[in-house]
Amino acid sequence: MNIDEKEVQKKWKDSVAEILKRFPERKETFLTSSDIEVERLYYPSEVDSTYMDKLGFPGEYPYTRGIQPTMYRSKYWTMRQYAGFGSAKETNKRFRYLLEQGQTGLSVAFDLPTQIGYDSDDPMAEGEVGKVGVAIDTLYDMEDLLEKIPLDQVSTSMTINAPASILLCMYIAVGEKQGVPMEKLTGTIQNDILKEYIARGTYIFPPKPSMRLITNIFEYCQKFVPKFNTISISGYHIREAGSTAVQEAAFTIANGMAYVDAAIESGMDVDSFAPRLAFFFNAHNNFFEEIAKFRAARRVWAKIMKEHYQAKNPKSWKLRFHTQTGGSTLTAQQPDNNIVRVTLQALAAVLGGTQSLHTNSRDEALALPTEESARIALRTQQIIAHESGVADTIDPLGGSYYLEALTDKIEAEVEIYLKRINELGGAVSAVEEGYMQREIHRTAYETQRKIEKDEEIIVGLNKFTIEEEVNPELLKVDEELEREQKAKLQSIKEKRDSEMVESTLKQLKWAASQADENLMPYILNAVKAYASVGEICNVLRQEFGEYGSI
């Protein structure tokens, strides 16, 4: 049967025009969170004739449809629940509970003093010990954190940046004590300092010595800890600071390029480290935009690694990423609504091809999650995996006219940002100049303005509110913990070999003054002598200085 497509299309448009006279659309223009206009309808376009160039097959360049040939038909994504609060022993109990409930990987949250290199007894740590994560002062705490957790069987992700080298060395030392050689350890350290300058603020040292520490980790792990992901280039916190989906993808990829550049400048071959690079993205509420963002990011990164950096190993072209659902989307009002938000966000991450996933708990806008809330969040992933059927075929929304058009549009807008950042001299220069920070502040302000004017609806916050809400039972960190943690640290300092600690710190100070010296072996020696996070960071502060706010 021959059908005149243009005639049918015209007939449909005429019909729409008549309907709109009686039933106007809800908005004059529909936009995604990145201000990409959403058309009324999508239908076949040039995507059909460029399938192999733009989409291809899963496990094949440019990886739009996924980085593995069979994706979740062979193995589900790693299910992680970000956890850490109070003492190492308390967090260890939560870890073991989650593993018993079916979690397949650990994800460690550290308290603020640990993240910025201060010990629990430092005046700078007052009132913050164990509040937003677990307090880790010395190797003794890491031993407690990982007690009875077999490191040769469990993959561990650590959200740590400025002192990432120290926490990784502690992890290696615990593995050694368990009889697990470092070449068998698996996991990820975030180790992404650029996004700290852009969006999060837990930096210690200036950019150049920070980049040196990162490349030192690359070099060391390439030789001795080959299964560990040496960096998780993070868009998550960029998005939490208020960026759009496009900015999240663009700024994250720009930061990734800066790390590749730094490693190459240090003398490393791109294919020696690029296969262990990993990424960390956010998942927000605009369902199709999030899926398209993940697909576009994979395609952009593959092209950059293959064409710009001339990487030869296909593993270097693959963008592997962890996803966490959007913390900034959670509301303190009607917290049970967050279960629905998290479910949609998690589903978008899975349909977008994530390699691992953390689902936020319903009460995290109010406090650290309770055990029950963490279990519901984990069950959300398990129901998606085992009951929904979305993991039974690869890229199930691939070929959707809307999704493919959106993927193309996001890719194009990401490339515009990358071109601008390149003109500024790359991500490090753009950070120092404040470009990315200004872009994020601008969009964050605009989003808040829309919410306040009810142009953007947040259910339970600015619409469908209720007058009296019953707050759920919340997790509270015992205030006594800080005193106990300080006493524990003092006890360790009294028992350890002080001369050995002093010797290892002196050697580290010398190594830090030598630009060509890899600091990892020196940090590992200091960690094994039970030197504290603060002591090690203070040695590096003396040599490198501290980074002030822009």
Side-chain angles (χ1 to χ4, degrees), residues 268-333:
M268 298 182 73
D269 177 76
V270 65
D271 285 315
S272 71
F273 65 88
R276 299 315 304 174
L277 300 178
F279 289 78
F280 174 22
F281 288 117
N282 209 313
H284 268 225
N285 291 328
N286 197 303
F287 189 68
F288 282 97
E289 182 178 45
E290 293 304 297
I291 299 167
K293 176 190 73 180
F294 299 133
R295 299 167 92 249
R298 264 197 304 270
R299 196 154 75 200
V300 171
W301 185 251
K303 289 178 182 177
I304 287 169
M305 295 308 294
K306 184 179 182 182
E307 298 174 11
H308 179 72
Y309 290 108
Q310 301 288 302
K312 301 295 188 291
N313 185 350
K315 290 182 179 179
S316 299
W317 309 337
K318 295 181 180 182
L319 185 147
R320 298 172 301 118
F321 68 97
H322 168 72
T323 308
Q324 181 174 339
T325 56
S328 62
T329 69
L330 302 177
T331 61
Q333 298 83 358

Side-chain angles (χ1 to χ4, degrees), residues 57 73 75 78 84 98 103 110 128 146 154 170 221 229 242 273 289 296 390 413 454 531 536 545:
F57 288 89
R73 286 168 67 96
K75 183 183 178 183
T78 302
L98 289 169
Q103 178 173 295
F110 297 95
E128 290 293 340
L146 301 170
V154 174
M170 287 184 176
C221 289
N229 296 321
F273 65 88
E289 182 178 45
V390 298
E413 295 205 4
D454 291 347
I536 295 170

Side-chain angles (χ1 to χ4, degrees), residues 347-358:
L347 187 58
V350 171
L351 291 171
T354 193
Q355 276 59 68
S356 71
L357 177 61
H358 162 84

Side-chain angles (χ1 to χ4, degrees), residues 168-169 171-173 180-189 216-230 272 276 520 524:
L168 175 59
C169 284
Y171 195 82
I172 290 169
V180 181
M182 61 178 78
E183 61 266 22
K184 290 189 177 180
L185 295 173
T186 60
T188 303
I189 45 170
N216 282 178
I217 292 169
F218 286 2
E219 291 170 355
Y220 186 83
C221 289
Q222 178 208 341
K223 294 177 182 176
F224 304 111
V225 202
K227 294 183 178 180
F228 223 86
N229 296 321
T230 50
S272 71
R276 299 315 304 174
M520 284 294 287
L524 184 58

Side-chain angles (χ1 to χ4, degrees), residues 309-413:
Y309 290 108
Q310 301 288 302
K312 301 295 188 291
N313 185 350
K315 290 182 179 179
S316 299
W317 309 337
K318 295 181 180 182
L319 185 147
R320 298 172 301 118
F321 68 97
H322 168 72
T323 308
Q324 181 174 339
T325 56
S328 62
T329 69
L330 302 177
T331 61
Q333 298 83 358
Q334 301 177 41
D336 282 351
N337 292 348
N338 295 327
I339 298 174
V340 182
R341 293 186 178 101
V342 168
T343 302
L344 286 169
Q345 294 164 8
L347 187 58
V350 171
L351 291 171
T354 193
Q355 276 59 68
S356 71
L357 177 61
H358 162 84
T359 31
N360 290 331
S361 299
R362 60 182 172 178
D363 49 5
E364 286 188 57
L366 295 161
L368 291 168
T370 62
E371 202 169 81
E372 179 188 20
S373 295
R375 185 180 67 247
I376 293 170
L378 176 59
R379 292 289 184 259
T380 301
Q381 294 198 50
Q382 292 165 335
I383 290 169
I384 290 172
H386 298 284
E387 297 185 26
S388 72
V390 298
D392 293 349
T393 190
I394 303 164
D395 190 27
L397 291 183
S400 154
Y401 303 129
Y402 177 37
L403 182 65
E404 298 303 349
L406 201 50
T407 300
D408 291 349
K409 182 64 174 176
I410 290 174
E411 178 185 22
E413 295 205 4

Side-chain angles (χ1 to χ4, degrees), residues 415-435:
E415 288 176 345
I416 290 170
Y417 265 119
L418 292 177
K419 182 180 179 182
R420 175 61 179 145
I421 292 166
N422 183 59
E423 289 169 351
L424 291 170
V428 176
S429 296
V431 167
E432 292 175 337
E433 197 268 333
Y435 168 70

